[in-house]
Amino acid sequence: MDFMEKTRQRFHLLDAYRGFVVLNMIAYHFCYDYFVLFSGEGNWIFNKNVYIWEQYICISFIFLSGFVWNFNTNHKLKRGLIVSFFGVLITLVTASLGPDIAIYYGVLFLLGASMLILIPLSKWLDKLPSVGVFLVALFMYLFTFSIPARHVGLHRLRLIKMPDYLYEHQFLVPVGFLKEGFVSADYFPIMPWFFLFVAGYAFNRVLNDRGFFEREEFLKTATIKVPILDFIGKHSLFFYIIHQPICMGILTIIF
């Protein structure tokens, strides 16, 4: 039985870190809206530092979501369905507002799908060495990172070109085979990001197998509450849903 199942401890420091990542996400989207949508400075997103900032947010959010998936022992299906529902809702709302801000297969789609896929998959993965699952998942994330750009390799190093016919079908777009002409303001396909989610899940298992979560020094640190960040982290879905309308509203008033 997992340690979390026995103690029902909540690691508030993880909530705080998630809250910190959410604040970074809000700040990034506010800057994106300001520079790209309102100021017309489209090159802003190609700045190296901006790219690093964006990747830090994405990697942290998805890896952490996979990491804490193990802790939600009784409501995995419910959580996955809720996140997927809001992913569909955001698609419907943004698509109705215009093609420039329409979101198809965004981060909530990815997280909801990952949660649901991992429910049956974990029954098989739990039987495998946790370190091996972590290393393979991390490798697959790096190997498939450029799948939407029609290559596989090592992160952004494109080594092998994928067959063009894989990118001719709309139904393969959510998997990562980006069809020409497809546009989305936020795109997180199954490949490569599901593998990062699995890496987070497996890393949790690595620590759990070694009794890391039961160590007294860890518990003293991990159960510390950080005001505001702890609250934001616990309600990250809510803040994700409301932050863009608020950002757009503020910038609309300013401009």
Side-chain angles (χ1 to χ4, degrees):
M1 182 180 293
D2 287 343
F3 170 67
M4 288 302 295
E5 292 177 345
K6 293 184 290 185
T7 65
R8 300 299 177 186
Q9 288 271 25
R10 187 171 186 102
F11 298 156
H12 294 283
L13 206 59
L14 291 178
D15 292 320
Y17 182 71
R18 187 193 291 114
F20 176 74
V21 175
V22 169
L23 288 181
N24 273 268
M25 176 193 66
I26 294 173
Y28 174 85
H29 284 157
F30 184 86
C31 292
Y32 176 90
D33 295 341
Y34 174 81
F35 287 108
V36 178
L37 300 182
F38 283 83
S39 300
E41 300 179 21
N43 289 331
W44 178 81
I45 60 176
F46 299 110
N47 181 283
K48 180 181 179 181
N49 292 328
V50 172
Y51 175 78
I52 293 174
W53 187 23
E54 177 201 31
Q55 289 300 298
Y56 161 74
I57 297 169
C58 298
I59 291 172
S60 296
F61 206 70
I62 295 170
F63 185 88
L64 184 58
S65 296
F67 185 87
V68 301
W69 185 88
N70 294 285
F71 297 153
N72 191 11
T73 55
N74 296 323
H75 305 289
K76 290 182 172 68
L77 178 60
K78 178 181 177 182
R79 182 68 174 173
L81 292 174
I82 290 174
V83 173
S84 297
F85 168 78
F86 280 106
V88 173
L89 183 62
I90 285 179
T91 294
L92 295 175
V93 172
T94 55
S96 68
L97 297 176
D100 292 337
I101 61 174
I103 295 176
Y104 301 99
Y105 314 119
V107 68
L108 291 188
F109 155 79
L110 181 275
L111 293 178
S114 296
M115 293 174 188
L116 296 175
I117 293 172
L118 197 53
I119 291 174
L121 187 61
S122 64
K123 296 178 181 179
W124 175 67
L125 294 178
D126 286 348
K127 300 176 182 178
L128 302 176
S130 55
V131 173
V133 174
F134 170 72
L135 292 176
V136 170
L138 189 60
F139 169 77
M140 289 302 298
Y141 163 70
L142 297 173
F143 184 68
T144 63
F145 187 84
S146 294
I147 279 281
R150 305 194 175 201
H151 286 78
V152 291
L154 190 61
H155 199 242
R156 300 179 75 185
L157 178 62
R158 302 171 183 177
L159 300 176
I160 304 173
K161 189 179 185 302
M162 297 295 289
D164 289 336
Y165 66 82
L166 292 173
Y167 298 83
E168 297 174 355
H169 309 285
Q170 189 69 34
F171 71 92
L172 290 179
V173 170
V175 179
F177 300 110
L178 187 59
K179 184 180 180 181
E180 185 176 354
F182 173 81
V183 178
S184 176
D186 191 31
Y187 178 56
F188 284 86
I190 298 298
M191 292 191 293
W193 298 107
F194 174 68
F195 295 116
L196 185 62
F197 187 92
V198 174
Y201 145 83
F203 188 64
N204 180 296
R205 305 298 303 183
V206 170
L207 298 181
N208 185 64
D209 291 346
R210 284 153 181 77
F212 188 84
F213 299 134
E214 300 182 46
R215 296 178 184 176
E216 184 177 353
E217 59 272 21
F218 170 80
L219 292 175
K220 287 182 178 179
T221 303
T223 53
I224 295 175
K225 287 187 177 183
V226 181
I228 301 179
L229 290 182
D230 181 78
F231 177 81
I232 295 174
K234 288 179 180 177
H235 302 88
S236 57
L237 179 59
F238 171 76
F239 282 97
Y240 178 85
I241 293 170
I242 70 166
H243 83 279
Q244 268 291 45
I246 293 176
C247 290
M248 294 291 287
I250 292 173
L251 290 172
T252 299
I253 293 173
I254 293 175
F255 278 82

